Amino acid sequence: MSWKKDEDTDELGALMNLDHSMVLQEARVFNETPIRPRHSRLLLAKIIFLMYRGDTMPTTEATNLFFSITKLFQCKDMSLRQMVYLTIKELSTVSEDVIMVTSSLMKDMQPKSEITYRANAIRALCKILDPSMLPGIERFIKSAIVEKSPSIASAALVSSYHLFKDSKDVVRRWGNEVSEALNGKSLNQGTSFFGGSAAQNQVVSNSKIVQYHALGLMYAIRQHDRMAVLKMVQAFSSQGKTSSWISSSNAALRSDMAHVLLVRYAVRVMENDPSLLPQLYTMLEEWMGHRSDMVSIEAARAMCQLKEVTAKQLTPAVNVLQQALSASQKPTLRFAAIRTLNALARTHPEAVQPCNVDMEGLITDSNRSVATFAITTLLKTGNEASVDRLMKQMQGFMAEISDEFKIIVAEAVRSLCRKFPGKHSVFLGFLSGVLRDEGGFEFKRAAIEAIVDLAKHVPECKEAALAHLCEFIEDCEFTKLSVRVLHFLGEEGPLTARPTVYIRHIYNRVVLENAVVRAAAVSALAKFGSSPVADASLQQSVRVLLKRCLDDRDDEVRDRAAWALRMSGGSQTTRDKYVRDDSTFALAVLERKLVEYCADSSASAKGSFNFESIPRISRAQEEESRNRTRMENMDAVLTGTTLSAPSGSGRKTGGGESSAPGTPGMGSGTAASGFMDSFEQQAQYASKLNAIPELAAFGEQPLVSSAKAVGLTESETEYVVRCIKHVYESHIVFQFDITNTIPEQVLAQVEVSMEPEEDIEGVLQPVVVVPIPELKCDEPGTAYVAFEHTDPDTFPAVSFACTLKFTVKECDPATGEPEEGDDGFEDEYSLEATDISAGDFMQATYIPDSQALWEALGTNGEAIETFALANFDSIEECITKVCDLLGMCPLEGALKPKSKAAHQAVFTGRWLGRTRAVARTRMTYQKGTGVTMELAVRSEDHTVSELVVSAIA
Amino acid sequence: MTNLSLYTVRAMIILDGDGNRLIAKYYTRGQTEQSYRSVKEQKKFEGELFAKTRKTNAQVVLYNGQTVLFINSNDVYFYLVGDPEENELLLLSALQGFYDGVCQLVKYDLSKRKILDNLDMVVLALDEAIDDGIVLETDGNVIASNVSKRGVDTIDMSLSNLNEQTLIDAYKQAKERFNLAMLR
C-alpha cells in the first residue's frame, strides 16, 4: 500500500518537491475512460497535499482542475468519490463556478445513497451552496439531521451550523429536528452495538458526538431566547432525578464535549440572575464529580470564574483541581488545573492556599508551562512562612534548568521581594547565589533588576544589596549590566553611611574596564561628588579621582570627567538641576515628536526642536509604567492573551512607596502609571484631529485632552457613544466615538446635536459640526462638534444635552450593504448630558519638586476653600472623585490614603498647558458627617487658582 | 470570553522531524483575530512552535496566545492549535482522536514515510476529524472506519490468476502494474 514500494528511489524527496505544474500535467488522467479510481484518488491526494503544504493555486488553474474533477463523478467507486468530495471542498475557496456540481452532490445526499456518500455529500454541498438555494435542499438536511446514522446526523448538524451564520432564518426552522437529534433516538441506537446502521457495518461512535453538535446548534438557534436556553440547561441538569448517569431518562448528555458546552451555557444564562445562582452552584458542584475529567475541570473552572463566589463555594472546585494536579500520567490535566488555579489566585489567593504543597511539587514539572504556572501561583498564594522552603526548592533546581526558565524564576523572586520585605536576607542570598552561577545576559539582567528592586524598596538591606552588586561588577562580562549597576550605585551610594566603600569599587572600573563602562563609572563618581550629603573630604577625593580621568583615551570619558569637575565647583542648586534631576521626558511622546521633526523638511527652517511641548514625568512614573509593562508581559506569557481580567495582582505591590526620603514625587500609585498612556493617547488624538481640515485650523495639537472617554450611553444599547473633550487655544472640540450595534441598519449622516442648558452667549460659539457619512454595524466612527471659545477670560462650566441624529437605512446584515432605493428615515436617539468644567482645562503634568514651587508661588495666587462633602463613605472614594474633577496629576501616593480618618494629597498640573498650578488637599472623614475637605490651590495666576477651586463645587 | 460556539480548532498541523510542514490546515471560519493568514506567517509560527516543543514531552503549551496540544511519534509531530480559553482536555480528545485514526489507517508505528505513503488516507482522516474548525469526531475507530480504503484500478486481475501465485509474485505483479500506471 504505497506509492511505490521501492526503497531506493527517493520517492519521498519527489513528494516533498512536488509542484503544482507537475500535478496539473498529470491531471489529464481524469479525462481518460475508463476512469482509474485508484490512480485518480492518489493524484487528488497529491493536489490536496500541495494545498495543505501551502502552495497557492491561481484561480484559472484551480477552475480548470475543478472541471476535470467533475468528470470523476461518473465513476461510482466509493474510495474515489470520498476524495472527490474533499477536493471539491478544498477547491471551493479558490476555484470559480463550484456551484456547477450542486446537482451531482444533491444526488449523492438522497436517502438511498450509501452512508459515506451521504455524509460527505452533505458537508461538501453546504460548503459550495449559495444561501439562496438553501430552501431547495431544506427537506434533505432536515431528514439527515434526524438520521439514525451518527455520521450523517453529525455531518448535517455541523453543516447547518456553518450555514447558520448566513441563513439564520432558514436554519431556525429546523429547531424540532435538532431537538430530536439532541434528545434522541439516534443515541439510543448508539447504545447497542448491533442496533442502528449495523447493516452498513458502521463502527459505532463511543464519543456520542452527535449530541455535541446538536447542542451547539440548538444554542445557536436559541441563544437570544434566554428562557429557552434556561429550560434546555435545566432539562439536562440531573437535578431531581436519580444521580446515576446510566439510569437517567432520555434527557441526559452522553457526550462529554456536549456536557462541557452545557456547563458554559448554564453559566451564561444563570450567572446574572441572583435567583438562579443557588441552583447554578448546586449544578456546578454536581458536575464537578462527573466521571470525565473534561467535564469536572470545566465545571471547576466555571465555578472559579464566577463573579460572585465565596470561599466556601470554591472549596469543592479547588479540591477537584487539587486532585488533578497530582495526575501524573496526564500532563494536559495538570496543565488545565494549574492554569485555572493560577487565574483563581488573582482573585481569591486564600482559596488556593490548600494546594500550596501540591504546587510546590510541580515546580520541577517537565512541562515548563506547568512549572511556570506553579511558581507564579505560589507567589500569589504563598505566605511568609513558606517562602524559606520555596526558595530552598528553587535553589535546588536552578542549575538544571534552561536560561529562559531561570529568567522567569528571577522575575518571580523579584515579585516575592516586594511582597515579603521581611524576608529580604533570604532573597538576597538566593539572588547573589545565582549571580555567581553561569548564566546568559537576560538572566543576569533579571537577577540584577531584582536586587536593585530589593535595594530600593527595602531600606534595611540596601547596604548588603549594594555590596553584592559591587562584587558582581568586579567580575562581569556584560558591559550593559556593568553600566546599569554603576548607574544604580551612583543613585543610591551617596546616601549610604559609608559612600567611600563604593567609590573604591567604582574607581576600579575606571582603571580596568572598556570605554563605555569607564564613562558610566565617571558619571557615578560625579554623583557621589555632588551629593548633598557629601562632606568636604569626600568631595575633594572624588575631585582627585575625576582629575585622573581627564587624560583617558576615550573622548566620552574625558568629557564626562571634565563636565563633572566643572559641576562640582558650582552651587548646590545647579548640581541638583543637572546631576540629580528626578524628572524626565515622556519618552514615547518625545520619540514621536522627534520623528515628526525630522520628517518635516520645513521644520528646521522654523527653528530648533521645541522641548517645551514635551510633557515631563517623574522618573518614578516612568519606572512605574515600565514595571507595569513588565508585569503585563509576564502575565501575557503565562496566560495567553485573553486572561487579562484584573491585570495582575502583582500590581498591588507595584506601586511602592518612596524609599529615598527628601526626593519628592516618588511612586504615585496606579493612577500615575496611567499618565504615560494618556500622553500616548493624546498624540493619537492629535493626529486624528489634524486629519480633519476644519479642526486642524484650531492649532497644532489640543492643549488638553481629557484622559478618559466618558460613556454617554449604557454599554449595551443599540448605539454606543463615548465622548472625549479636546481644549485648544481658543476652541473646544467634542469628539464622539459612536458604534452602531444593529446589524440590520446602516446609519447615514450621523451627527450629535448639543444644546447648552445654560446661556453661553458670548462665551462659546458653535462653529463646526463634523458628521459621520456612513456608520455600519460594529465599525466605530467618530463625529466632532467644535465650539469657539470667544471670551478667553471666562471659563464656562456648562452642561449640554446631547442628541444623536441620523438617517436609518435597512441593510442586509450579511454584507452590510444598504438596500437599494432605500432612502431611509430620520431618527434621533437621546444621549446623556455632557459638560465642561474647570478640570477640562487642566493638563495633568508632573512638575518636579512641587514643594519648592509651592513655596515660590507664595500666597498671592492662592485660593483656599473648605468643603463639607457628606455623600462620600470613605476618603478613598472622595479623593478619586476629587482627582477626576481637578484633572490634575496626583503625587506621592495621593490616591492611596494611609488612614481612614485623615488624608493629605498634592496634585500638580498646567492650566491650559501653560500656567503651573499646585493643589493641596487635606481631608478628614467621620462617620455620619462624611468627608470634610480643605482645598488650597496656588498658581501663577490668581484667577486660575479660583477656577481650580471652583471645579470642586 | 468563554467560547460558546462549536468553533474550537484553529489549526491542525503535522510537521516532520526537522520542523518542516507535512500537512497544515488552518481554519478561518468563526475566527476574527489571531488567525494566521499568509503562508509565511503560518510557517514562521510553525517553526517557532516546533523549536519550543521539540525537546519536551509536555503535551500542551501556551504559545503566542493560543493553546497548543501536541503528540509526537518517531519523526512526526501532530499539533492542534486552539483557543486560549478552550478546555484543554476537549482539545486533547480531538487531537487524540485524529491521531488514533491515522495510526489505525497506517497500521501503527507512525512515521514521516508512512504519512507520505498514505497521504490520501491521512487527508481524509483529517477531513473526518475536523470540519472547518468544528470537531467532527473524536473516536479514532470511527474516523478510521469513515475513511474509505483505496480501490483498485480496473485492470483485470482475475481470481484464478491469483490462486496460482505466491504472495510475493502477487506483490511483484501489483507493483509493476502500478508503476506502469504511474508512468503513463
Side-chain angles (χ1 to χ4, degrees):
Chain A
M1 278 245 183
S2 82
W3 304 97
K4 279 181 187 173
K5 261 290 191 295
D6 196 349
E7 294 285 338
D8 294 325
T9 58
D10 53 349
E11 178 66 28
L12 284 183
L15 205 50
M16 292 305 271
N17 295 324
L18 206 63
D19 78 56
H20 67 261
S21 57
M22 232 155 77
V23 175
L24 290 178
Q25 284 278 320
E26 275 189 74
R28 280 174 308 189
V29 166
F30 299 148
N31 296 330
E32 285 175 15
T33 36
I35 292 164
R36 288 183 295 157
R38 183 188 169 94
H39 189 176
S40 303
R41 169 165 153 138
L42 295 182
L43 190 53
L44 287 175
K46 278 190 193 172
I47 294 171
I48 293 170
F49 175 63
L50 277 179
M51 297 176 79
Y52 283 0
R53 213 181 55 184
D55 293 15
T56 42
M57 208 179 285
T59 310
T60 45
E61 279 180 25
T63 313
N64 287 338
L65 190 61
F66 176 76
F67 277 105
S68 45
I69 289 171
T70 52
K71 304 224 168 54
L72 297 178
F73 271 104
Q74 291 163 5
C75 176
K76 288 253 181 290
D77 187 281
M78 172 137 93
S79 62
L80 173 60
R81 187 67 64 88
Q82 193 179 18
M83 197 53 106
V84 170
Y85 293 135
L86 177 58
T87 322
I88 287 175
K89 278 194 283 187
E90 293 300 335
L91 283 176
S92 68
T93 46
V94 266
S95 164
E96 288 167 346
D97 299 326
V98 281
I99 211 89
M100 296 290 294
V101 290
T102 310
S103 61
S104 306
L105 290 173
M106 276 172 72
K107 212 171 90 206
D108 284 348
M109 61 181 279
Q110 302 291 336
K112 57 182 182 298
S113 315
E114 267 188 82
I115 287 186
T116 323
Y117 268 26
R118 280 186 73 190
N120 282 291
I122 290 170
R123 289 200 287 141
L125 181 59
C126 292
K127 289 261 154 51
I128 62 163
L129 197 69
D130 185 89
S132 64
M133 296 167 68
L134 188 55
I137 58 160
E138 202 181 340
R139 189 162 59 89
F140 298 116
I141 297 191
K142 270 160 92 168
S143 74
I145 289 177
V146 293
E147 183 62 44
K148 281 175 192 160
S149 153
S151 64
I152 296 179
S154 275
L157 287 164
V158 168
S159 300
S160 316
Y161 196 86
H162 289 311
L163 290 171
F164 185 70
K165 206 174 74 191
D166 294 327
S167 335
K168 290 201 171 58
D169 295 334
V170 181
V171 178
R172 278 209 184 95
R173 292 203 292 260
W174 307 341
N176 284 337
E177 283 76 16
V178 178
S179 145
E180 193 177 324
L182 179 57
N183 294 320
K185 58 178 192 345
S186 55
L187 287 161
N188 291 342
Q189 297 282 353
T191 54
S192 149
F193 268 75
F194 305 103
S197 42
Q200 260 114 355
N201 250 342
Q202 275 271 311
V203 176
V204 174
S205 166
N206 286 324
S207 58
K208 311 284 184 300
I209 198 156
V210 183
Q211 237 180 0
Y212 171 67
H213 300 137
L215 189 65
L217 183 57
M218 199 64 183
Y219 178 76
I221 293 174
R222 299 267 168 86
Q223 60 188 336
H224 296 297
D225 183 351
R226 232 186 117 256
M227 283 321 289
V229 178
L230 184 62
K231 259 168 86 181
M232 183 166 86
V233 169
Q234 282 168 339
F236 283 116
S237 74
S238 59
Q239 271 189 333
K241 293 183 211 137
T242 47
S243 59
S244 156
W245 281 92
I246 301 119
S247 68
S248 59
S249 71
N250 259 354
L253 284 179
R254 286 151 210 266
S255 158
D256 297 339
M257 290 173 75
H259 209 134
V260 167
L261 279 184
L262 186 70
V263 173
R264 292 184 193 161
Y265 299 155
V267 171
R268 172 68 177 230
V269 34
M270 296 165 85
E271 187 184 15
N272 293 322
D273 188 341
S275 65
L276 292 172
L277 269 180
Q279 200 189 346
L280 180 60
Y281 291 133
T282 344
M283 271 157 63
L284 285 179
E285 206 165 314
E286 188 170 332
W287 290 337
M288 278 178 222
H290 194 265
R291 64 186 150 74
S292 160
D293 293 333
M294 196 193 288
V295 179
S296 57
I297 283 280
E298 184 70 31
R301 187 176 279 179
M303 186 71 110
C304 296
Q305 284 172 351
L306 287 184
K307 281 187 215 93
E308 285 170 38
V309 64
T310 61
K312 185 164 164 279
Q313 283 155 340
L314 281 173
T315 321
V318 173
N319 282 342
V320 168
L321 295 170
Q322 189 172 8
Q323 269 172 17
L325 285 183
S326 48
S328 55
Q329 292 308 308
K330 298 174 184 163
T332 309
L333 182 57
R334 281 203 308 270
F335 177 86
I338 190 79
R339 195 171 155 200
T340 314
L341 287 172
N342 183 285
L344 181 63
R346 292 153 186 265
T347 46
H348 298 86
E350 68 296 336
V352 184
Q353 267 168 9
C355 303
N356 276 1
V357 178
D358 302 74
M359 288 192 289
E360 277 169 28
L362 290 180
I363 292 179
T364 47
D365 197 280
S366 61
N367 184 339
R368 215 176 52 76
S369 304
V370 171
T372 321
F373 273 127
I375 291 181
T376 46
T377 314
L378 281 169
L379 293 181
K380 286 166 195 155
T381 61
N383 47 25
E384 201 135 357
S386 65
V387 163
D388 287 319
R389 201 172 35 177
L390 191 58
M391 297 309 292
K392 209 179 229 165
Q393 229 170 357
M394 287 197 196
Q395 214 147 18
F397 69 87
M398 277 310 265
E400 304 155 20
I401 55 181
S402 70
D403 247 31
E404 196 188 352
F405 197 9
K406 282 183 187 168
I407 295 168
I408 293 174
V409 173
E411 291 280 343
V413 172
R414 183 174 172 183
S415 316
L416 264 186
C417 300
R418 290 284 190 86
K419 203 169 165 194
F420 301 115
K423 289 281 176 190
H424 58 84
S425 58
V426 182
F427 297 129
L428 207 54
F430 175 78
L431 288 169
S432 61
V434 298
L435 271 184
R436 278 186 219 109
D437 292 343
E438 289 294 304
F441 169 74
E442 280 298 326
F443 161 60
K444 290 275 163 97
R445 194 185 62 86
I448 291 285
E449 289 299 328
I451 296 185
V452 165
D453 235 32
L454 202 57
K456 267 189 195 160
H457 296 279
V458 189
E460 305 92 67
C461 72
K462 186 186 285 175
E463 305 228 340
L466 290 181
H468 281 302
L469 290 176
C470 286
E471 186 198 330
F472 173 69
I473 53 170
E474 288 290 324
D475 183 24
C476 170
E477 50 188 316
F478 304 108
T479 302
K480 272 187 176 169
L481 290 182
S482 297
V483 172
R484 171 77 181 110
V485 171
L486 284 168
H487 175 79
F488 184 67
L489 287 176
E491 298 265 293
E492 298 291 337
L495 303 168
T496 54
R498 290 184 302 135
T500 41
V501 185
Y502 308 111
I503 293 181
R504 183 171 60 82
H505 281 283
I506 294 171
Y507 190 68
N508 277 346
R509 297 300 100 208
V510 178
V511 181
L512 297 167
E513 285 281 0
N514 62 31
V516 178
V517 178
R518 289 203 304 274
V522 167
S523 293
L525 281 179
K527 286 196 178 125
F528 277 90
S530 60
S531 140
V533 291
D535 57 24
S537 74
L538 181 69
Q539 284 187 9
Q540 187 51 42
S541 41
V542 168
R543 222 170 294 153
V544 171
L545 292 176
L546 286 173
K547 269 186 192 141
R548 283 195 209 155
C549 301
L550 282 177
D551 35 294
D552 194 278
R553 292 186 305 282
D554 188 79
D555 291 350
E556 175 73 20
V557 180
R558 280 199 309 276
D559 286 355
R560 287 197 189 197
W563 182 78
L565 275 172
R566 177 70 194 267
M567 283 322 331
S568 69
S571 71
Q572 187 65 42
T573 39
T574 7
R575 270 186 268 159
D576 276 354
K577 191 171 169 201
Y578 289 105
V579 190
R580 310 185 49 83
D581 189 4
D582 74 326
S583 73
T584 178
F585 292 110
L587 288 179
V589 184
L590 179 61
E591 184 184 354
R592 195 182 57 86
K593 287 272 183 183
L594 282 171
V595 169
E596 273 173 20
Y597 183 77
C598 294
D600 184 2
S601 53
S602 64
S604 51
K606 279 188 230 153
S608 56
F609 185 77
N610 180 15
F611 275 102
E612 288 298 306
S613 62
I614 313 292
R616 294 181 78 89
I617 54 172
S618 73
R619 289 201 190 279
Q621 278 174 3
E622 196 206 348
E623 194 187 323
E624 178 76 25
S625 91
R626 250 191 255 151
N627 241 333
R628 197 165 40 107
T629 8
R630 184 175 67 89
M631 284 298 177
E632 274 162 15
N633 284 345
M634 195 158 159
D635 278 348
V637 169
L638 286 173
T639 53
T641 43
T642 38
L643 266 180
S644 62
S647 71
S649 66
R651 275 185 66 186
K652 272 191 281 184
T653 52
E657 292 307 313
S658 144
S659 62
T663 36
M666 291 284 272
S668 34
T670 6
S673 61
F675 280 95
M676 285 289 278
D677 292 342
S678 80
F679 289 132
E680 188 67 349
Q681 183 87 48
Q682 276 187 6
Q684 281 169 13
Y685 289 148
S687 51
K688 244 170 114 181
L689 289 166
N690 284 343
I692 296 168
E694 292 97 323
L695 305 178
F698 297 164
E700 194 188 322
Q701 184 180 353
L703 300 169
V704 184
S705 292
S706 47
K708 269 186 286 192
V710 183
L712 298 185
T713 56
E714 302 291 321
S715 59
E716 286 179 2
T717 45
E718 298 98 311
Y719 314 109
V720 179
V721 182
R722 300 192 312 152
C723 173
I724 296 155
K725 287 165 269 188
H726 305 282
V727 176
Y728 283 87
E729 191 82 18
S730 58
H731 292 86
I732 298 171
V733 176
F734 292 87
Q735 171 187 339
F736 295 96
D737 292 337
I738 306 170
T739 314
N740 171 16
T741 59
I742 305 178
E744 289 84 13
Q745 283 185 359
V746 169
L747 307 183
Q749 283 300 314
V750 187
E751 59 177 62
V752 178
S753 116
M754 298 177 69
E755 287 295 325
E757 285 170 359
E758 283 141 67
D759 187 21
I760 51 163
E761 195 78 81
V763 182
L764 289 177
Q765 181 95 37
V767 275
V768 186
V769 174
V770 183
I772 307 171
E774 190 179 70
L775 191 63
K776 289 183 185 171
C777 175
D778 284 337
E779 289 175 20
T782 309
Y784 298 92
V785 178
F787 288 86
E788 186 171 359
H789 192 185
T790 44
D791 180 358
D793 296 327
T794 323
F795 293 97
V798 60
S799 75
F800 296 87
C802 302
T803 319
L804 196 61
K805 293 190 171 166
F806 46 83
T807 311
V808 181
K809 290 182 183 171
E810 300 286 316
C811 77
D812 180 352
T815 57
E817 293 303 321
E819 280 165 26
E820 275 176 48
D822 181 8
D823 294 334
F825 56 94
E826 293 195 0
D827 201 357
E828 289 189 355
Y829 187 82
S830 71
L831 307 173
E832 281 169 39
T834 181
D835 49 12
I836 309 180
S837 66
D840 292 327
F841 299 95
M842 183 63 84
Q843 184 184 47
T845 315
Y846 170 74
I847 301 177
D849 209 0
S850 59
Q851 178 73 30
L853 181 65
W854 176 264
E855 301 300 336
L857 287 170
T859 48
N860 275 345
E862 186 174 56
I864 300 185
E865 200 154 337
T866 311
F867 303 90
L869 309 162
N871 44 353
F872 288 106
D873 288 331
S874 74
I875 292 222
E876 199 149 5
E877 193 184 324
C878 177
I879 193 79
T880 319
K881 183 75 185 162
V882 167
C883 178
D884 273 357
L885 285 173
L886 289 178
M888 296 169 85
C889 171
L891 299 186
E892 245 168 306
L895 297 184
K896 296 195 166 169
K898 288 201 181 85
S899 96
K900 279 186 178 161
H903 180 56
Q904 290 197 359
V906 182
F907 300 88
T908 62
R910 284 168 186 264
W911 184 259
L912 285 177
R914 288 188 299 266
T915 322
R916 289 181 294 177
V918 184
R920 290 183 163 192
T921 65
R922 281 200 295 238
M923 44 183 75
T924 54
Y925 171 72
Q926 267 185 325
K927 215 168 174 157
T929 53
V931 177
T932 315
M933 178 178 80
E934 183 196 72
L935 177 69
V937 181
R938 290 185 182 181
S939 79
E940 287 153 354
D941 182 347
H942 184 69
T943 40
V944 169
S945 305
E946 297 274 331
L947 280 163
V948 175
V949 171
S950 75
I952 299 297
Chain B
M1 193 56 206
T2 340
N3 179 11
L4 293 171
S5 77
L6 291 180
Y7 294 108
T8 45
V9 181
R10 290 184 179 179
M12 185 72 99
I13 304 164
I14 306 180
L15 302 181
D16 71 6
D18 304 318
N20 296 316
R21 176 192 280 193
L22 291 177
I23 285 178
K25 179 81 184 134
Y26 286 75
Y27 303 99
T28 45
R29 276 218 204 195
Q31 303 288 332
T32 43
E33 21 92 63
Q34 279 282 355
S35 13
Y36 296 85
R37 299 252 172 237
S38 75
V39 176
K40 207 176 149 200
E41 278 173 319
Q42 294 176 357
K43 292 214 163 152
K44 182 164 169 277
F45 170 70
E46 285 156 26
E48 291 166 355
L49 190 59
F50 182 73
K52 197 177 156 91
T53 52
R54 178 171 48 166
K55 289 203 180 113
T56 60
N57 53 349
Q59 203 179 56
V60 55
V61 286
L62 273 179
Y63 184 68
N64 224 350
Q66 335 206 45
T67 308
V68 181
L69 278 295
F70 65 100
I71 297 180
N72 159 238
S73 165
N74 295 330
D75 56 352
V76 281
Y77 292 77
F78 281 63
Y79 293 92
L80 183 144
V81 184
D83 212 70
E85 296 288 270
E86 192 49 68
N87 189 320
E88 295 86 351
L89 297 163
L90 191 151
L91 294 176
L92 179 67
S93 75
L95 177 64
Q96 191 74 48
F98 173 55
Y99 177 81
D100 290 348
V102 171
C103 281
Q104 254 187 51
L105 287 168
V106 306
K107 309 274 189 286
Y108 301 99
D109 196 25
L110 203 53
S111 65
K112 174 176 172 182
R113 179 166 193 103
K114 280 202 166 173
I115 296 233
L116 291 177
D117 281 350
N118 296 288
L119 259 187
D120 51 342
M121 308 230 236
V122 176
V123 292
L124 284 176
L126 176 57
D127 181 55
E128 291 292 336
I130 314 270
D131 185 283
D132 236 355
I134 298 183
V135 181
L136 189 61
E137 181 54 81
T138 57
D139 186 331
N141 295 326
V142 179
I143 293 176
S145 79
N146 282 348
V147 173
S148 56
K149 306 296 175 293
R150 280 177 201 165
V152 281
D153 283 346
T154 33
I155 300 168
D156 263 320
M157 214 195 272
S158 63
L159 272 176
S160 59
N161 250 343
L162 279 174
N163 278 343
E164 287 156 28
Q165 288 169 332
T166 60
L167 268 176
I168 302 286
D169 287 340
Y171 163 64
K172 272 185 184 157
Q173 192 183 359
K175 191 179 103 183
E176 269 169 29
R177 293 223 164 133
F178 183 53
N179 283 354
L180 210 68
M182 289 294 275
L183 289 171
R184 231 186 298 177

